[in-house]
Amino acid sequence: MLQSEWISLLCEDEQGKFNGDSGIKISQSQEPLSELEKSMDAIIDVFHQYSRREGDRDTLSKMELKLLIEKQLANYLRHVKNKATIDEIMKDLDINKDAQISFCEMMLLITRVTIATHEHLHEVEDQQHQQQHKHQHHH
């Protein structure tokens, strides 16, 4: 199965909501949240900070998406400045072609950026390791 097909299945229904028969049931306990759970809550909170600015309160318009990228992903998506790039990202994420980005569709961007960042960190780590290795041989 292609990555794009798998991603489309995740956001399959019309509203882009996660379909309920995933077998995942969320139950809030009184236990303190883990680091990962806190990060998940932060993603949800940030999405809503931007989705509630205009139009549908649970989707991002192109303007809201642009603001979210500029303010929340400025370090990781430094190259995204011009309108054409925002248009491309919008077109790419908008699986159901409703000119809005649902939470599920926005998670595709978060996932891609997180994977790319993970790979970049490994590249930097590898370069640093190689440099240290070179220095050891020169002494």
Side-chain angles (χ1 to χ4, degrees), residues 10 41 46 64 67 75 79 85 90-91 110 125 138:
L10 270 183
D41 274 3
V46 166
E64 289 167 331
L67 272 176
N75 294 305
H79 62 285
T85 314
M90 181 88 184
K91 187 171 171 245
I110 301 293
E125 204 176 69
H138 290 299

Side-chain angles (χ1 to χ4, degrees), residues 41-54 56-60 63-65 67-68 71-72 103 106:
D41 274 3
I43 291 170
I44 294 166
D45 289 346
V46 166
F47 176 81
H48 286 129
Q49 281 174 34
Y50 291 86
S51 71
R52 293 186 172 150
R53 291 172 186 231
E54 65 175 20
D56 188 320
R57 292 173 57 77
D58 211 35
T59 62
L60 297 171
M63 188 214 62
E64 289 167 331
L65 177 66
L67 272 176
L68 186 147
K71 304 283 186 215
Q72 300 294 327
F103 181 77
M106 196 258 329

